[in-house]
């Protein structure tokens, strides 16, 4: 098999192997998780269970995260007029990363009747990976501000992660693409290549060097003989 054909065959095998690896390792895993919230309200403690869904969509060097509640939590003894309630929450990070991130959302767009579960609109935020690897996202504390009061709802059943993402740190410090310095790339360029075309070029260069050396030797001998005749 000729060199170009052999190179093309190896490239095809590598591409197929890379595709198989990508298919075997999904970048994200999501599931809806039931979260048991215990809420501290101005009129006493309340509890509610709501399925939580967390999604992440790649956006630039980070991810746009969306946290959704499928059921309402807590309640109010009075009607909450349009725009009276402002929710926010935290998402706990695990796996390759740690800490929390914040998500926020718009105020209620419709009146919330008294003594009914408060439906939380989708909350969003931006997550920028600090480390590379699999990161888990788990529901954290929910905060509801309304009519000058604050209600805090904390998960008490140690819920599992709603989302797992395989991320790469923005700096590429772990498992990311490596950027070589100018001096390193210069050294790499100076390494000899082993293709047949390069071998032909090398042989041509060697032949030219021998030819020049021979011409230089002949010129030196000619000038020496001329100098000897002059002295006689």
């Amino acid at each position: 098999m000729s060199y170009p054909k052999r190179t093309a065959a190896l490239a095809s095998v590598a591409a197929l192997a890379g595709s198989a690896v990508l298919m075997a390792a999904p970048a994200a895993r999501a599931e809806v998780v039931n979260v048991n919230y215990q809420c501290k309200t101005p009129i006493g403690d309340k509890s509610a269970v709501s399925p939580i869904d967390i999604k992440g969509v790649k956006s630039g060097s980070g991810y746009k995260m969306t946290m959704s509640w499928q059921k309402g939590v807590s309640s109010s003894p009075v009607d909450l007029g349009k725009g009276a309630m402002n929710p926010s929450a935290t998402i706990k990070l695990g796996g390759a990363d740690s800490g929390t991130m914040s998500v926020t959302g718009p105020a209620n767009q419709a009146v919330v009747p008294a003594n009914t579960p408060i439906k939380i609109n989708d909350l969003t935020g931006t997550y920028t990976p600090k480390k590379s690897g699999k990161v888990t996202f788990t529901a954290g504390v929910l905060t509801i501000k309304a009519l000058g009061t604050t209600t805090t709802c904390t998960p008490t059943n140690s819920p599992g992660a709603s989302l797992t993402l395989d991320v790469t740190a923005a700096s590429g410090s772990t498992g990311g693409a490596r950027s070589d310095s100018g001096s390193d790339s210069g050294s790499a360029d100076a390494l000899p290549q082993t293709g047949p075309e390069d071998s032909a070029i090398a042989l041509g260069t060697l032949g030219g060097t021998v030819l020049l050396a021979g011409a230089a030797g002949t010129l030196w001998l000619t000038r020496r003989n001329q100098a000897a005749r002059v002295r006689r």
Side-chain angles (χ1 to χ4, degrees), residues 90-109:
T90 61
I91 296 176
K92 295 170 57 178
L93 307 177
D97 208 342
S98 60
T100 61
M101 64 165 290
S102 299
V103 287
T104 59
N108 58 305
Q109 300 175 353

Side-chain angles (χ1 to χ4, degrees), residues 55-148:
K55 291 184 174 64
V57 178
K58 193 77 170 68
S59 177
S61 60
Y63 293 81
K64 180 181 179 181
M65 310 302 299
T66 302
M67 187 175 186
S68 304
W69 280 258
Q70 296 187 3
K71 291 184 179 179
V73 297
S74 191
S75 62
S76 170
V78 297
D79 290 352
L80 296 178
K82 180 179 179 181
M85 179 195 69
N86 291 279
S88 62
T90 61
I91 296 176
K92 295 170 57 178
L93 307 177
D97 208 342
S98 60
T100 61
M101 64 165 290
S102 299
V103 287
T104 59
N108 58 305
Q109 300 175 353
V111 174
V112 179
N115 301 315
T116 60
I118 298 175
K119 177 65 172 71
I120 306 298
N121 292 323
D122 288 354
L123 305 183
T124 61
T126 300
Y127 168 68
T128 302
K130 296 179 182 178
K131 296 181 180 180
S132 297
K134 292 184 178 180
V135 178
T136 60
F137 299 82
T138 306
V141 176
L142 168 66
T143 301
I144 302 172
K145 293 186 177 182
L147 303 178

